[in-house]
Amino acid sequence: MRYLMLVIEPDEPDRAPTPETETWVAEQDASGARVMGSRLRPGADVRRVTVREGETVVTDGPFSESKEVIGGFDVIEAATLEEALAIAAASPGARDALVEVHPFWPTEP
């Protein structure tokens, strides 16, 4: 089953990857658990898009209601939720930020 792992961290625009993160990525890539992932730009570069009554509204970030941003993501492959949670717990993001694990809806017929 596939899971989306979101790393939620303080909005620090120039936060560089740590050696611990690079090690975790290499380990997950080598095991085949990590399908893909990337750092994301800071909150000031985020845009929200809504369409209401046919009108498109784009709101620039950062968003005052949130002091945290999704700093990165990984798509991981795991046989069970427990396995996905173990992969997330091994992430440095679980120690210095917050990690959410979102299961994908199955798309196979």
Side-chain angles (χ1 to χ4, degrees), residues 61-94:
F63 305 105
S64 60
E65 63 270 13
S66 176
K67 296 190 184 327
E68 298 173 321
V69 296
I70 300 171
F73 74 95
D74 293 283
V75 176
I76 57 175
E77 191 77 43
T80 64
L81 175 59
E82 291 74 22
E83 182 182 340
L85 295 175
I87 292 168
S91 165

Side-chain angles (χ1 to χ4, degrees), residues 13 15 18-19 34 40 45-46 59 66 79:
R15 186 173 174 150
T18 64
R34 184 172 174 270
L40 296 175
D45 295 342
V46 175
T59 306
S66 176

